[in-house]
Amino acid sequence: MESLKIASDNYVAFTFFIGTMAMMAASVFFFFELNTTPAKWRTSVLVSGLITFIAAVHYYYMRGYNLETGESPTFFRYVDWILTVPLMCVEFYLITKKAGAKISLLRNLIAASIVMLVTGYFGETIDRDSSVMWGVISGAAYFYIVYLIWFGEVSKLAQQAGADVAKANRVLSWFVLVGWAIYPLGYILGTPGGLFGLQLVSDPAAASHAMDIVYNIADAINKIGFGLVIYSLSRTSN
Ligand SMILES: *C/C=C(C)/C=C/C=C(C)/C=C/C1=C(C)CCCC1(C)C
């Protein structure tokens, strides 16, 4: 079989490749560090490793898919997200559990994340003509998550759980407010509705490439960054 080369100007394939390596390396790191992680933080650090591991497997697949077909692996992108974003919600639950976080809080976070992703998927695939409408619904679910962690139940419980947890929650909340906001930018670049009708990239192929690059960068920042915040909490608090 002929080997597939990554052209030096193929930033989509390149970021899929580097994303695969970064997610793999991060997973090895989190899993090996479990050994020296205090028992009470072990599940949190394990979940950090699961998030990057699930992403590593999807990235490995998406990298090959993109290289062979030249297309955007939208379906597997969303399979990855639907598994990893709820796990990021689990991280908020785990760090606030000591202060009394209830399972209903976890359920609300996960439900909002699923609404956010399923509506985004509709806008990118089966109902692209209404991408703006789906993006707005998805954005509302996103802001509900932002509300819960910045001002709502998560933030209140994090205060009660002590200074270390409160600080970690603040950093994670910044990741969600700024790091997660990169995704709607990719969506605006890649869907026909653009920003309420304003198309930033008009050529469909270029728009799809821009979207993949933006998503790939956002995933590396958010998944590895989130894990490192949890890791750092496990090392400072006992
Ligand atoms: C590891 C993967 C992560 C953290 C994925 C996060 C994805 C989002 C925050 C996506 C959000 C979207 C909107 C807020 C509106 C447009 C549609 C989405 C799904 C791109």
Side-chain angles (χ1 to χ4, degrees), residues 78 81 84-85 88 116-117 120 135 138-139 142 180 183-184 187 215 219 222-223:
Y78 274 86
W81 288 356
T84 52
V85 177
M88 294 168 110
M116 176 180 87
L117 296 173
S138 174
Y142 163 71
W180 287 24
Y183 296 97
Y187 183 89
Y215 284 167
D219 273 354
N222 288 300
K223 292 186 165 64

Side-chain angles (χ1 to χ4, degrees), residues 87-117:
L87 282 174
M88 294 168 110
C89 297
V90 169
E91 296 282 31
F92 282 108
Y93 170 73
L94 288 175
I95 64 171
T96 52
K97 206 174 146 201
K98 191 180 76 175
K102 293 202 187 65
I103 204 81
S104 60
L105 172 63
L106 177 61
R107 202 185 47 216
N108 289 347
L109 285 166
I110 291 181
S113 71
I114 289 173
V115 170
M116 176 180 87
L117 296 173

